[in-house]
Amino acid sequence: MPQQPLLDRIMTAIGARPRRGRDLEPGIYSYERLEGDWPTRFHLRVDPDEGGLLLANAAETAYLSSVGTRMARDVLEGLSDEDIYGDIRAVFRRASLAEMRADLAQIRSLIADLSSPGDNYPVTDLTDDQVANWSRRLAAPFRADVVQGDPRTGREILQRLWEVGIPHVTFLVRPEAPADDLPALIEAAEDLGMIAGLRATASWLSSDLIQRAALAGLDHLDLLYLSTDLAAHDELCGPGDHARVLAAFEQCHHLELCPVAQVPLYAHNTDGNLEAVFSALPEAGVTNLSFFALACPDDDAAAQAAGALPARALPQVALSIAEAAESTSARYLWSPPVRFDSRQPLAAQLLAGPRTAGDVSVRVEADGRVLPARGGPTSVGNVVTDAWEEIWGNECFRRYRERLQAPTRCADCPDLTICVADCPKNPEGWSDDTGEVGGRKSEVESERPGNAPDCDSGGEE
C-alpha cells in the first residue's frame, strides 16, 4: 500500500538554497539493492519540484517530499550518513543533526520495508490523498497504458516513455495482434528498468504465453472478470473464459505475478452479484480489484436497455463497493467511467475496458498518439515524434489540473473515492469515445496528433 510522504514536517521555514550540494535533476533513476538474500529493484522518480516517487520491485509505492527524495537518492547510491548530512545541510541550512538523524532513520527503514516481498501492484489512481496532491509539479504521469502494436514502434514508445520519466507501462492486449510479440515488448520494458503489466481477457492468452511473459519480466497481469455467474461471464467474454481466468489467476501465484481483476460495472452485474464477486476473488488470492463503470446519461433509455448504468446510479454503486472494501482485505481501485457507445455491442465495450487505469495515467495508442484519461478521443500529441514538453503542456492537461484543484465533492453523495477527480454523475468527466463531448459532437479531428482538443470534458492530471 502507498506509504505516507516522509519528511513533510521537516524544514517548514528553511533558508534559501546555496549553490553547493549534489544536483537533484528531474528524471527517473534505477537502482538495485540487496536486502537479505534477494535483490530489490528500485525506481526513484524526481519531479521538477524535487518531490519524488519511490517504487520497489513494482511492489510498494512511497511518495516523498523534496528532503525525502534527496535522502532516498543518497542512501540508494551508498553514501555514508555523514555525506548525506552534508548534502542535506548544503541545501537546507538550518537542518539540525537530530532532525536529520531521525529522518534518515525513517528513510533507511522505509527502503528496508520496501525490499520485503509483498503485493506487487503499484497504485496509480487517486485512491491515495498523496497521489491526488495536484499542487505537485509532476513531470509526467505515473503510468502509461499502451495499446499493443508493431514491436518496433512499441520499443520506440517505451524508450520515449522512460526518457520522460514514466516508470510503469501496461500493455493493452489486442486479440487480433500477434500474441508472440508480447514477451518481446515486456522484455524491452524490463531492459529499460520499467514496471510492466498486461491487460487482457483470459481467452486471449495461453498458459504458455503467460509463462513466457513472466520469464520476460512481467510484473502484473490484469484480467477481465465480469461475474461469478459462469454463464453470464462466458456469454460476453467467450465460451470457457470464466474457467480460464481463474486458472490464469492460479498460474500467477505459481509464477509470482500479481493478479489483478478488472471488474466492469454495468447493469447486469451490479444487481446483486457484486457481493459474490467481492467474496470470490479474495478467496482466489486476488486482492487487487480495478473497477470501471460503463455509463450513460440519465435520459439515454436505449443505452440503459443495452446494459449501461445511468449516471444517477454511479454513486450508489460506488458506495456499495466502498462498504465492501471495509470488510475485505482487497484493494479497490477506480478508472474513470466509460461512456456507453450505442454504435458498439455491449460485449465489445466491456472487452475493450477503460481508456486508462486511473487519473495519473495516460493512454498511448499503437502508433504513439497520447490520449488523456478523460474526455473525447483526442490526441494531445505523439510520444514518438513530438516533444514531451509540448504534450505535457497541452491546454487539455492544464485545464484539467485546474478543475481538479477545485473541490468536486458535493453534499448529495457520501465521501467516495470515485469522486476524488470528478463527479461520476457528470458525463463531461468520463472517457468518451463516442464522438460526443458534453452532449454535442466534437469538432476536433482525433486522427491528427497535436490538434488542440476540446478540453471541457477533461484530460489527464
Side-chain angles (χ1 to χ4, degrees):
M1 294 295 290
Q3 304 290 326
Q4 292 298 316
L6 298 180
L7 314 177
D8 280 348
R9 70 184 191 282
I10 190 172
M11 320 303 168
T12 56
I14 300 300
R17 176 178 302 198
R19 292 185 178 179
R20 62 187 187 278
R22 301 184 66 213
D23 289 339
L24 190 62
E25 296 295 331
I28 186 164
Y29 304 90
S30 296
Y31 303 94
E32 190 167 274
R33 183 181 176 89
L34 188 65
E35 290 282 346
D37 296 330
W38 299 99
T40 298
R41 181 180 50 159
F42 285 96
H43 301 85
L44 179 64
R45 150 117 159 236
V46 180
D47 284 315
D49 62 358
E50 295 192 357
L53 170 72
L54 182 63
L55 297 137
N57 278 350
E60 297 280 349
T61 309
Y63 302 94
L64 303 172
S65 68
S66 59
V67 181
T69 302
R70 186 173 289 274
M71 279 190 170
R73 185 272 313 268
D74 291 349
V75 169
L76 291 171
E77 291 187 358
L79 270 65
S80 68
D81 288 4
E82 291 305 316
D83 286 340
I84 295 173
Y85 298 152
D87 185 29
I88 298 300
R89 275 211 180 106
V91 178
F92 303 103
R93 294 179 177 178
R94 291 197 288 270
S96 73
L97 182 59
E99 286 176 316
M100 290 189 296
R101 282 176 173 168
D103 291 315
L104 182 57
Q106 288 188 59
I107 287 291
R108 291 195 182 280
S109 176
L110 170 69
I111 290 174
D113 289 343
L114 293 179
S115 301
S116 301
D119 179 19
N120 55 344
Y121 187 68
V123 174
T124 49
D125 70 356
L126 296 178
T127 56
D128 181 76
D129 288 340
Q130 298 308 319
V131 185
N133 181 4
W134 298 105
S135 61
R136 285 278 316 276
R137 289 178 56 210
L138 299 178
F142 294 152
R143 167 171 163 169
D145 295 295
V146 179
V147 177
Q148 179 190 358
D150 172 70
R152 179 176 179 179
T153 304
R155 285 190 287 270
E156 292 179 1
I157 290 171
L158 292 174
Q159 182 66 43
R160 288 290 294 129
L161 294 175
W162 179 255
E163 289 172 356
V164 304
I166 299 178
H168 183 183
V169 61
T170 297
F171 295 102
L172 307 180
V173 179
R174 290 169 39 179
E176 69 274 14
D180 286 342
D181 290 347
L182 291 169
L185 288 170
I186 294 164
E187 186 175 11
E190 169 74 11
D191 289 344
L192 288 169
M194 302 180 83
I195 298 163
L198 285 181
R199 184 273 175 195
T201 298
S203 297
W204 300 347
L205 306 174
S206 67
S207 59
D208 176 67
L209 178 61
I210 294 173
Q211 181 171 2
R212 287 191 288 128
L215 293 174
L218 186 66
D219 294 300
H220 62 87
L221 179 62
D222 303 14
L223 295 176
L224 194 65
Y225 188 91
L226 270 59
S227 172
T228 57
D229 184 332
L230 276 66
H233 177 101
D234 288 354
E235 180 182 0
L236 294 169
C237 293
D241 188 81
H242 194 278
R244 295 185 70 170
V245 71
L246 293 179
F249 285 151
E250 178 66 24
Q251 185 181 10
C252 284
H253 295 303
H254 293 303
L255 296 173
E256 297 185 351
L257 292 178
C258 176
V260 180
Q262 187 177 83
V263 182
L265 303 172
Y266 64 111
H268 307 313
N269 75 344
T270 54
D271 186 13
N273 187 256
L274 284 181
E275 290 77 8
V277 169
F278 300 150
S279 174
L281 287 172
E283 289 178 3
V286 181
T287 56
N288 288 289
L289 281 65
S290 174
F291 297 95
F292 73 96
L294 189 60
C296 67
D298 289 333
D299 60 357
D300 192 340
Q304 293 174 48
L309 290 175
R312 62 179 179 274
L314 299 188
Q316 183 57 47
V317 172
L319 177 60
S320 67
I321 291 174
E323 291 173 344
E326 296 178 356
S327 59
T328 71
S329 59
R331 180 166 59 191
Y332 295 165
L333 311 172
W334 284 98
S335 296
V338 176
R339 182 165 181 159
F340 183 85
D341 189 344
S342 59
R343 301 167 301 181
Q344 299 290 331
L346 173 66
Q349 297 180 66
L350 295 175
L351 296 182
R355 184 183 295 170
T356 70
D359 280 285
V360 282
S361 303
V362 290
R363 183 187 185 98
V364 181
E365 298 292 345
D367 61 0
R369 287 178 297 135
V370 179
L371 277 65
R374 299 174 185 257
T378 305
S379 169
V380 295
N382 188 300
V383 73
V384 176
T385 59
D386 296 334
W388 178 252
E389 292 76 12
E390 296 178 4
I391 296 173
W392 195 232
N394 188 282
E395 177 76 358
C396 191
F397 292 111
R398 185 188 67 79
R399 291 188 60 181
Y400 191 49
R401 282 193 290 267
E402 291 174 354
R403 290 184 63 200
L404 289 173
Q405 288 168 3
T408 58
R409 300 187 187 278
C410 64
D412 295 337
C413 301
D415 189 23
L416 296 173
T417 298
I418 195 175
C419 302
V420 171
D422 214 326
C423 176
K425 295 182 294 183
N426 180 10
E428 292 187 357
W430 302 346
S431 62
D432 183 356
D433 291 343
T434 66
E436 296 186 11
V437 178
R440 65 190 188 282
K441 288 290 182 180
S442 171
E443 298 177 354
V444 181
E445 298 176 17
S446 63
E447 294 300 322
R448 291 189 302 169
N451 284 333
D454 184 335
C455 298
D456 289 342
S457 61
E460 164 60 16
E461 297 193 37

